[in-house]
Amino acid sequence: MIELFTANTPNGKKISIMLEEIGYEYRVTKIDLDKKEQFSEKFKKISPFSKIPVIIDHKKNITVFESGAILIYLAEQSGKFYDIKDRLIINQWLMAQMGYIGPMLGQHHQFHHYNPGKSKFGEDRYFKISKRIYDELDQRLSNCRFLSGEEYTIADIATFPWIARHEWHDIGLVQYKNLTRWYNEISKRDAVIKGFKFMKKDEFPPKP
Ligand SMILES: N[C@@H](CCC(=O)N[C@@H](CS)C(=O)NCC(=O)O)C(=O)O
């Protein structure tokens, strides 16, 4: 049994989607970020940076923090979505999500969605970077079906919940034909639908 410590955010959804995709039994322990539960001494013991998501694999007594590391762990355990022959390319797209796509879109959420009007510089900077990310992903997806090639992998699972915030981005996902095609295809997967609404029964990936 896997215990998933999480909240209803893109980083949280990566792991619920993955757990649904590999069909593992799991239970969710909610960490209420508004109530600052991430800073409790108990949670800090398993999450040194006080961030969700974290998993405990109770069968093996293993704890993993950082969503990219969790995806790799679950992929290695299950033998799914991380084919050994494609690992170099999957790692690159996964690391790009972890180090660039997620953090930059996250800043865009902060300036554009949560705090508009507070910093023109911040709003302009992250809006421009986010558009650039849409362009770059669209370009990549003009050459292949999924981010790391023809197979759906943990790189797609990591990136999808961030693009699923497209309404907050105000960029106009539909204008990016290849990214929209990728987004629509992943949105239809049963495991993605289940993993997406793991905390809110009526929550679906928003249409482009
Ligand atoms: N690089 C981390 C980022 C995780 C992260 O930023 N989690 C946010 C929610 S999406 C969080 O826990 N924020 C609480 C805080 O920083 O206090 C990962 O991918 O796991």
Side-chain angles (χ1 to χ4, degrees):
M1 158 75 80
I2 303 282
E3 183 170 6
L4 169 59
F5 298 80
T6 194
N8 197 11
T9 71
N11 287 322
K13 285 188 174 99
K14 288 176 192 173
I15 310 305
S16 51
I17 289 173
M18 180 65 175
L19 285 161
E20 294 290 346
E21 288 283 11
I22 61 179
Y24 274 24
E25 220 185 303
Y26 66 103
R27 72 165 184 259
V28 172
T29 298
K30 184 180 171 188
I31 303 296
D32 191 327
L33 302 178
D34 292 334
K35 291 189 182 152
K36 309 284 175 213
E37 286 177 0
Q38 70 272 33
F39 297 112
S40 75
E41 282 312 309
K42 195 171 162 211
F43 187 62
K44 273 189 89 165
K45 286 201 176 99
I46 58 169
S47 182
F49 297 102
S50 296
K51 293 197 186 292
I52 63 93
V54 177
I55 60 162
I56 299 181
D57 183 341
H58 285 288
K59 216 159 129 193
K60 296 183 186 282
N61 204 17
I62 286 173
T63 299
V64 192
F65 68 92
E66 274 292 320
S67 60
I70 299 171
L71 288 173
I72 291 172
Y73 175 78
L74 293 172
E76 285 177 342
Q77 292 295 311
S78 63
K80 288 184 175 162
F81 310 118
Y82 195 41
D83 198 301
I84 194 106
K85 72 172 177 3
D86 299 327
R87 277 197 190 169
L88 185 59
I89 187 86
I90 298 171
N91 286 344
Q92 291 169 67
W93 287 95
L94 178 64
M95 297 306 145
Q97 191 293 311
M98 296 299 301
Y100 175 49
I101 300 169
M104 294 301 110
L105 293 181
Q107 291 305 309
H108 184 44
H109 295 173
Q110 285 303 321
F111 287 102
H112 182 78
H113 180 77
Y114 287 117
N115 296 288
K118 287 202 180 148
S119 164
K120 182 166 166 24
F121 173 78
E123 281 182 55
D124 289 351
R125 173 176 165 80
Y126 293 105
F127 196 71
K128 193 168 159 200
I129 295 176
S130 299
K131 268 194 186 156
R132 183 176 150 182
I133 289 172
Y134 272 51
D135 267 327
E136 288 158 343
L137 289 175
D138 194 63
Q139 214 171 336
R140 169 64 179 168
L141 291 163
S142 68
N143 299 321
C144 42
R145 184 166 166 203
F146 294 106
L147 289 174
S148 48
E150 292 310 298
E151 304 292 329
Y152 174 68
T153 73
I154 54 173
D156 301 292
I157 295 174
T159 306
F160 176 81
W162 284 94
I163 302 303
R165 282 278 205 241
H166 61 86
E167 289 170 326
W168 290 14
H169 301 158
D170 268 339
I171 292 173
L173 178 56
V174 281
Q175 292 167 57
Y176 300 80
K177 299 287 171 242
N178 307 296
L179 186 58
T180 299
R181 187 252 315 137
W182 169 90
Y183 178 78
N184 283 338
E185 180 168 355
I186 297 176
S187 297
K188 286 185 200 133
R189 294 177 69 91
D190 286 346
V192 170
I193 292 168
K194 275 192 200 147
F196 204 85
K197 59 178 174 187
F198 79 121
M199 281 199 160
K200 219 171 145 200
K201 269 195 206 121
D202 54 358
E203 191 180 2
F204 293 90
K207 296 230 162 11

